[in-house]
Amino acid sequence: MVMQQTIKDDLTPEQTLKVIFSYAAKIASEKQLDRLLMLMADMGRELISADRCTLWILDQKNNELWTRVAHGVDEIRVPAQKGVVGYSVQNHAPVYIDDAYQDPRFNQEVDRQTGYRTKSIICIPFENSEGQIMGAYQAINKRTSSGVFTQKDLEYLTLAASYTGKSLEAAMLSNEIEETQKEIIFSMGEIGETRSKETGNHVKRVAEYSYLLARHIGMSDEEAELLRIVSPMHDIGKVAIPDSVLNKAGKLTDEEYDIMKRHTIIGYNLLKNSHRHIMRAAAVVAHEHHEKWNGTGYPRGIAGDDIHIYARITAVADVFDALGSERVYKPAWQLDRILDFFQEESGRHFDPVLVDAFLENLDEFLMIRDSYRDL
Ligand code: C2E
Ligand code: SIN
Ligand code: SIN
Ligand code: FE
Ligand code: FE
């Protein structure tokens, strides 16, 4: 496939400043790493009149370079020493190539897969404030009549990289903190489960059911992702419930049930002091997942919209899973009985909007149940 492209001129100094100014504010206020990468790539592409521009980030731990080209698309990863970008990063040096197919560093496989024809390439590595390599800017196919990248392009891309380095560093740091929070939260959820002799699959199922419900009531993918992380944490407070109650083989006495109910407040107290938004969401879910739509739940007896939507969703996910699973105190219920229960409890225990979303998309929930079955 041959690309028909309009020929462009290099930007004048005035135009260059205009491009930088128009991106500067957006870049400075962008905290989301993948959106930032795309903004920076767009800025680089405009600055040097390239057809494509990609910002590659070095992942030291896995010795890979990764990037993201569009929303919803998974990140792309390549070994950190491969190709032109790998060469540039490994050697801490810029690379210009006028004809990629004449250069042994170029990996033609990428073109073969995309049908794109790479001709000229410029690639410059960039560093963080401590002088460590963070990744590289790579632009492909100069769109001016000369068709090749120049020393000026190198200067502009270097400028763009240094201009945006701070924002990028900040976004990468908060990305890392977020990844760490997710890991901590997930292991805490698993600790809660281990204590009550359940498999890790309960955690995974509740996470996936919650995500599905959130999406089906129109929540954004970002928020549904947050819920996927925090919903399996709802029972973290069970770590403080004595074994004699938690794993009692029969029905709880009233006193024992009162002790059991404290897992909501204990979980909330464990999580509430963090200001991090993931932790705050987890705290709300731990606190409110046994509240009921009609106000007869615990610990506070709040009702309707006063119960946070994350907790209302987790309640449906948790009870659907609890009923279908064997517990020390009860056998697993058959699906018919579970569905009858949800119909009866719609508007009583559960938010009716969520019960509808659940029943209308039952096949998807059953697929999750099947793929994370307890062995
Ligand atoms: P869990 O076993 O994970 O159950 C979570 C929720 O699912 C329950 O919250 C309840 O809303 C629903 N659920 C589970 N099994 C049944 C059932 O057989 N019938 C009905 N109608 N609903 C059911 P709940 O009741 O607030 O219980 C919270 C936790 O307290 C339970 O988590 C479990 O760990 C413990 N628990 C509750 N009842 C008993 C019991 O009789 N014996 C023992 N050993 N533990 C119990
Ligand atoms: C490479 O660096 O060899 C890959 C070039 C591309 O992204 O097309
Ligand atoms: C557990 O006991 O940790 C799982 C039960 C639940 O999620 O309510
Ligand atoms: Fe619970
Ligand atoms: Fe649970």
Side-chain angles (χ1 to χ4, degrees):
M1 187 169 68
V2 177
M3 298 263 176
Q4 206 61 44
Q5 284 165 16
T6 43
I7 302 294
K8 291 192 161 188
D9 288 327
D10 272 323
L11 302 188
T12 63
E14 290 75 23
Q15 288 170 321
T16 302
L17 276 179
K18 243 188 177 156
V19 170
I20 290 179
F21 276 126
S22 75
Y23 278 97
K26 281 185 261 176
I27 285 174
S29 61
E30 183 55 71
K31 306 234 162 4
Q32 186 91 31
L33 184 55
D34 49 352
R35 282 203 290 261
L36 186 65
L37 294 182
M38 282 183 263
L39 275 176
M40 291 172 69
D42 287 348
M43 177 167 86
R45 190 171 47 113
E46 286 190 37
L47 274 179
I48 64 172
S49 304
D51 191 45
R52 293 186 171 186
C53 186
T54 312
L55 221 87
W56 293 88
I57 302 294
L58 182 60
D59 173 351
Q60 302 270 13
K61 202 173 75 197
N62 298 306
N63 199 29
E64 286 174 330
L65 288 152
W66 66 269
T67 190
R68 217 176 242 224
V69 287
H71 280 299
V73 174
D74 271 347
E75 56 192 39
I76 300 171
R77 286 185 166 265
V78 296
Q81 52 286 324
K82 270 202 111 163
V84 178
V85 185
Y87 180 90
S88 172
V89 164
Q90 299 302 322
N91 293 284
H92 296 218
V95 174
Y96 312 77
I97 295 173
D98 292 347
D99 185 357
Y101 283 68
Q102 304 297 319
D103 196 298
R105 292 169 298 193
F106 178 66
N107 176 10
Q108 296 185 19
E109 189 50 39
V110 179
D111 275 7
R112 231 167 276 137
Q113 284 178 23
T114 58
Y116 186 79
R117 175 66 163 88
T118 301
K119 190 145 190 335
S120 53
I121 301 178
I122 184 172
C123 190
I124 64 155
F126 57 86
E127 303 173 342
N128 65 15
S129 46
E130 274 122 53
Q132 291 154 331
I133 294 278
M134 280 167 77
Y137 246 121
Q138 177 199 34
I140 297 179
N141 288 1
K142 180 80 173 171
R143 295 181 63 177
T144 57
S145 50
S146 77
V148 297
F149 293 104
T150 63
Q151 175 70 27
K152 258 256 117 21
D153 294 327
L154 175 73
E155 281 166 22
Y156 283 156
L157 266 197
T158 306
L159 183 71
S162 67
Y163 212 88
T164 50
K166 273 271 174 293
S167 310
L168 187 61
E169 252 184 283
M172 284 179 72
L173 184 61
S174 78
N175 193 57
E176 190 177 315
I177 291 170
E178 204 144 289
E179 291 301 317
T180 309
Q181 284 181 62
K182 287 179 191 171
E183 279 171 27
I184 292 171
I185 284 185
F186 197 80
S187 6
M188 285 170 88
E190 286 189 320
I191 292 167
E193 300 307 323
T194 314
R195 266 298 315 287
S196 59
K197 298 194 175 141
E198 283 171 31
T199 69
N201 280 346
H202 169 66
V203 163
K204 296 196 186 105
R205 287 189 304 260
V206 170
E208 298 308 318
Y209 296 152
S210 301
Y211 175 83
L212 257 190
L213 279 168
R215 292 298 283 161
H216 280 303
I217 63 160
M219 222 177 245
S220 71
D221 190 51
E222 212 175 327
E223 205 175 4
E225 280 289 352
L226 173 66
L227 189 56
R228 177 190 262 153
I229 307 290
V230 303
S231 68
M233 284 283 295
H234 58 269
D235 276 333
I236 182 65
K238 282 183 178 172
V239 296
I241 304 299
D243 250 347
S244 58
V245 175
L246 188 60
N247 293 319
K248 182 177 174 179
K251 209 164 165 38
L252 301 178
T253 65
D254 288 350
E255 296 84 70
E256 287 166 336
Y257 194 37
D258 283 341
I259 294 172
M260 190 67 223
K261 286 174 175 173
R262 284 170 33 209
H263 79 279
T264 52
I265 294 171
I266 294 166
Y268 175 64
N269 286 334
L270 281 172
L271 298 163
K272 70 174 183 200
N273 292 323
S274 170
H275 293 286
R276 297 262 156 216
H277 80 285
I278 296 185
M279 291 294 186
R280 298 199 85 93
V284 168
V285 167
H287 198 197
E288 300 179 3
H289 73 279
H290 286 295
E291 299 288 0
K292 294 186 180 178
W293 182 253
N294 66 5
T296 62
Y298 61 89
R300 290 182 292 166
I302 55 177
D305 285 346
D306 287 345
I307 309 164
H308 196 287
I309 185 64
Y310 297 171
R312 278 181 270 148
I313 289 175
T314 301
V316 172
D318 184 35
V319 174
F320 175 57
D321 203 65
L323 294 179
S325 309
E326 189 185 303
R327 291 282 196 263
V328 283
Y329 63 93
K330 68 160 206 40
W333 289 16
Q334 292 303 307
L335 183 61
D336 283 356
R337 190 174 167 203
I338 297 176
L339 298 182
D340 287 346
F341 179 82
F342 271 92
Q343 236 128 25
E344 262 166 50
E345 293 294 327
S346 179
R348 286 150 67 168
H349 188 156
F350 308 111
D351 180 345
V353 169
L354 294 174
V355 174
D356 289 348
F358 166 58
L359 295 176
E360 275 162 29
N361 300 284
L362 185 65
D363 50 332
E364 295 174 30
F365 290 85
L366 295 179
M367 261 163 62
I368 292 170
R369 192 165 89 157
D370 262 9
S371 50
Y372 295 107
R373 224 171 305 119
D374 290 320
L375 300 173

